[in-house]
Every structure is written in C-alpha cells, then in structure tokens.
Amino acid sequence: MTQRKGEKTTISIQEHMAIDVCPGPIQPIKQISDYFPRYPRGLPPTAPPALSRAGSLRSSSTSQKSEGPQADANRDEDDLDQAFGATALVASKKEEEPDVEGYDSDDSTTLGTLDFSLLYDQENNALHCTINKAKLPVPRYKKGLKPMDHNGLSDPYVKLHLLPGASKANKLRTKTLRNTLNPVWSETLTYYGITDEDMVRKTLRISVCDEDKFRHNEFIGETRIPLKKLKPNQTKNFSNCLEKQLPIDKTDDKSLEERGRIMISLKYSSQKSGLVVGIIRCAHLAAMDANGFSDPYVKTYLKPDENKKSKHKTAVKKKTLNPEFNEEFFYEIKYADLSKKTLEVTVWDYDIGKSNDFIGGVSLGINASGERLKHWFDCLKNKDKKIERWHTLTNELPGSGYND
C-alpha cells in the first residue's frame, strides 16, 4: 500500500488486534489464538511453570522470525507435552500423599469402641444388657467416639433392638450423656420374655447415636451380637468396634413384626373338666398413644367357637407398656376336644370415643409352631399342672378379627 507524504498511517482492526508488543517493526501474527493455547479436556487452565507473558510473547515473536511455521508446530507439541507431564506429576503426588484427616476406611478408628456385657437368665426368661462405656480408638485419631457436634463433642446414647422383627416395641435405650467423647453409662437394660427359641434365632443390635435437640438424632456406629453365642446364666463381656450402619433385611414378612411379649399360663383341670387360661403379664408392648404409652387389655378366644361364648377380657391398665394382669379364665371343655381347639390371645389399646387399637396377638394350638405348639402339647401331657410360657406378640393373627 503506497502512502502519501504527510498522510497519517491507518491500521485495520485486524492488524491492530494482531500487533506484536515487542520492540521493532509491526509484525502481524498468523492467528491471535496462538496467545491462548488450548488444553485438552479435563486439564486445568493453569500451564506449567513458564516465562512471563511478555517474555513468552517475545520468544514467540523471535521464533517466528527465525524458524517459521515448522517451529510453531513443534512448539505447540512441546507445550502439550509439558502440560500433560505437569498434570500427571500433580496427580501422582496426590496419590502418594493421602489425606490422613479424611481417611475413613477403618471404622474402628473413626467410630470408636463399646464395652458391654450380656447375660441370659434362662429361669426368668430375661436378657440383661449392661452398657458400660465407650473406649478409646486408635491413637492417631481423636480420642473416644467420632465427634458429631460443632463443638467437637457428642451427646451419645445407646439403643437396643432385637432382629429380626425390629420395632419400637422391642427398642430399649440408655440415658443421654452430654458433651463427651468418652461416655460411661454403667446402665443395665433388660428384655423380658426371651425364650430359648429367641436365643437361637435372634440377634441383638446395639447402636450408638448422638442426640440433637434441633435436628434428627445422628447415627454414630453399631455392633451386632447373635444371641446363640451366649450360654445360659453366664455373663459374657464384649469390647467391640463400632461399625457403619448395616442394612436390615427387608425380606422378612411384615406380618411378623413384633409388638411385645405376653406371659400365658395353661392348665387343664381334671376336677373341673375345663381349661384354665391365665393372663399374667405383658412386656415391651408397642406404644399406641401420643404420650408414648398404651392402655392395654387382653382378650381370649377358644376356637372354633360356634356359640360365640368363649370371649374373655381382662381389666384395662392405664399408661403402661409393661402391664401385670394376673387374671384367669375358665373354659369348660372335654379333655379329648382340646386337640381340636385353638386358643387365640389378642392385646388391645383402649381408647375413649373411638375404636380401640390392635396391638398384637398370638395363637396356641395344634396348628401353631415352635414354642406355641410346645406349650399347648405340654398342657395336654400334664393334667392339673400349671405351665407358664412367654410368647411373642405379632401384628397379625390369622383367623381373628381385629374389630373389638
């Protein structure tokens, strides 16, 4: 382009954007994107240690002058190699130096341990669970339980469940200890109505939780003990590492949900020619009222009941989950006919002004199984002898109507 004397030099916008800032004559570059190298996906925008922006521009300009397009291609390849190499180096350093504070694969160190003891009192059908204390975990972490609160402490308590059939009815819990990572409870919780059959098939789940007044209570850790590991009338001590929460088997039939325990006595009186049914007590009944209790009473039926005269009912016990009734009912029946009968026992929650709530039930007879069948046969084999047994109440009783 020719330029007249005295006329100002004009530069197009394309040339203006491509001006090299290095001293010397204006040297347009082929592509402005050369100043903004593109990195492959996944790589950070930060380039490996290099010269300053001005220095890099000068070097690029110099290389363009001396080496031409081939040097540009070689330079781009070198830049990518350096970028990949720097990223790989950073990644390898991260793999070699794990974050110790965030390491959470060893539950015994992060969740703590729990000291407790178990005793099965076979004569009284009771399982005594003594919760002692939470012990120190591995020293490289904070001592005691895993902190759950903002102050670095916890408000821990322990709760117990019997599996399978876990429900609020068979939940027991200790008191809550405030602001501690090394709680000492020294508290004994007792399950009543535990049978030899329960000791074979049941597992005790012990959970440690952090109580929170303003949010949901937080789970800290748990441990599970199969009751078959215990020997009758012998105390066994445990010091177990707390583990992460394990899933509960959902394949269990919901109809077998436990609603408590009931102690029943059976005796066939040859003198009176009839069956004497005793309703002695209940334990760990499900709470049906908003106050956390129930107003329970018990009904009994001897079926089949053609004349519908076999119904008997106990008195109502107010605000309790462990009522004692000590009532007996008499059914006049021939001894030979007992083998054809089934005793159905249901527990209800009494409500004023609305329908009573069904809590749970159990049936004894020739169609029963396990402890229920054994109890019925023992009654038939031992006339004039009162035989007492604990039985588990479930949320469904086949053949019995729920309407009171």
Side-chain angles (χ1 to χ4, degrees):
M1 181 179 68
T2 58
Q3 180 179 350
R4 296 179 182 178
K5 188 175 182 180
E7 186 176 322
K8 292 184 178 181
T9 303
T10 59
I11 302 175
S12 65
I13 187 65
Q14 290 82 1
E15 291 178 321
H16 178 74
M17 293 298 295
I19 289 176
D20 196 329
V21 295
C22 65
I26 297 175
Q27 296 288 341
I29 62 176
K30 294 183 178 181
Q31 292 184 353
I32 196 171
S33 61
D34 287 347
Y35 287 116
F36 307 97
R38 298 179 181 178
Y39 296 99
R41 276 187 191 178
L43 292 181
T46 57
L51 298 175
S52 62
R53 183 175 182 273
S56 64
L57 292 177
R58 290 191 185 97
S59 63
S60 64
S61 175
T62 305
S63 62
Q64 285 176 4
K65 291 178 184 178
S66 60
E67 299 177 8
Q70 183 64 31
D72 291 340
N74 294 336
R75 186 187 70 245
D76 292 341
E77 292 178 1
D78 293 341
D79 290 341
L80 288 177
D81 291 340
Q82 291 179 6
F84 276 117
T87 307
L89 182 61
V90 172
S92 64
K93 287 184 177 180
K94 288 184 178 180
E95 291 177 0
E96 293 172 2
E97 301 175 6
D99 184 6
V100 176
E101 293 297 325
Y103 189 70
D104 194 30
S105 66
D106 190 352
D107 293 338
S108 64
T109 58
T110 58
L111 302 183
T113 58
L114 185 68
D115 282 7
F116 59 96
S117 63
L118 302 177
L119 170 63
Y120 173 48
D121 184 354
Q122 189 175 34
E123 183 178 355
N124 296 310
N125 296 104
L127 177 63
H128 303 288
C129 312
T130 301
I131 307 299
N132 296 320
K133 62 181 179 179
K135 294 184 66 176
L136 303 181
V138 175
R140 66 172 179 161
Y141 288 88
K142 283 190 175 182
K143 294 183 178 181
L145 295 177
K146 179 181 178 182
M148 303 298 289
D149 298 339
H150 294 297
N151 60 4
L153 301 174
S154 295
D155 301 323
Y157 67 92
V158 178
K159 62 179 180 179
L160 310 179
H161 284 100
L162 286 175
L163 305 175
S167 66
K168 292 182 179 180
N170 65 29
K171 182 185 79 172
L172 300 178
R173 62 163 288 175
T174 66
K175 59 187 177 183
T176 301
L177 301 181
R178 302 293 177 185
N179 298 325
T180 179
L181 295 181
N182 298 281
V184 179
W185 288 279
S186 298
E187 187 173 346
T188 299
L189 306 174
T190 302
Y191 280 107
Y192 294 99
I194 301 297
T195 64
D196 292 340
E197 183 181 7
D198 291 327
M199 296 301 295
V200 173
R201 67 184 187 91
K202 291 284 188 179
T203 296
L204 179 65
R205 177 191 182 193
I206 306 178
S207 306
V208 182
C209 301
D210 173 54
E211 186 176 286
D212 197 320
K213 293 182 179 180
F214 305 104
R215 298 179 297 175
H216 293 293
N217 296 342
E218 296 184 69
F219 174 84
I220 295 178
E222 72 170 36
T223 184
R224 299 187 183 186
I225 304 296
L227 297 185
K228 61 184 178 182
K229 290 185 176 181
L230 305 180
K231 296 182 180 180
N233 306 315
Q234 293 184 18
T235 301
K236 186 169 184 178
N237 297 313
F238 296 87
S239 181
N240 287 14
C241 294
L242 296 176
E243 302 174 354
K244 292 181 180 180
Q245 191 167 16
L246 301 174
I248 297 178
D249 189 4
K250 299 295 184 181
T251 59
D252 292 338
D253 189 356
K254 292 184 178 180
S255 65
L256 298 180
E257 177 187 342
E258 293 187 6
R259 295 293 187 87
R261 306 287 173 118
I262 185 170
M263 178 181 277
I264 302 172
S265 67
L266 298 177
K267 183 181 77 170
Y268 184 80
S269 175
S270 55
Q271 183 178 0
K272 297 181 179 180
S273 298
L275 177 67
V276 181
V277 178
I279 304 299
I280 301 174
R281 58 179 295 198
C282 293
H284 314 300
L285 292 180
M288 308 301 289
D289 297 337
N291 59 7
F293 294 97
S294 294
D295 302 321
Y297 67 94
V298 180
K299 296 192 300 180
T300 65
Y301 297 87
L302 191 62
K303 294 186 175 182
D305 183 19
E306 298 176 356
N307 299 324
K308 297 183 179 181
K309 295 181 180 180
S310 69
K311 175 182 173 181
H312 289 285
K313 185 189 298 186
T314 67
V316 177
K317 302 296 179 179
K318 295 290 186 179
K319 292 184 180 180
T320 179
L321 301 180
N322 299 281
E324 294 191 12
F325 298 100
N326 294 314
E327 297 187 34
E328 290 186 344
F329 307 119
F330 178 75
Y331 291 98
E332 185 176 353
I333 184 175
K334 295 179 180 180
Y335 176 78
D337 294 338
L338 278 179
S339 59
K340 305 174 184 177
K341 296 289 185 178
T342 297
L343 177 67
E344 294 185 354
V345 181
T346 55
V347 183
W348 299 77
D349 170 53
Y350 178 75
D351 289 320
I352 299 177
K354 59 180 182 178
S355 299
N356 298 330
D357 298 319
F358 173 74
I359 297 178
V362 64
S363 62
L364 310 177
I366 57 173
N367 295 322
S369 60
E371 291 288 336
R372 296 167 295 162
L373 178 61
K374 187 175 184 299
H375 193 185
W376 190 255
F377 277 152
D378 287 346
C379 173
L380 297 180
K381 292 178 181 179
N382 301 278
K383 292 183 180 180
D384 301 313
K385 181 181 180 180
K386 181 186 291 187
I387 300 175
E388 298 179 353
R389 293 278 195 283
W390 280 97
H391 298 283
T392 301
L393 297 169
T394 61
N395 65 335
E396 186 175 14
L397 181 59
S400 177
Y402 288 166
N403 296 326
D404 186 18

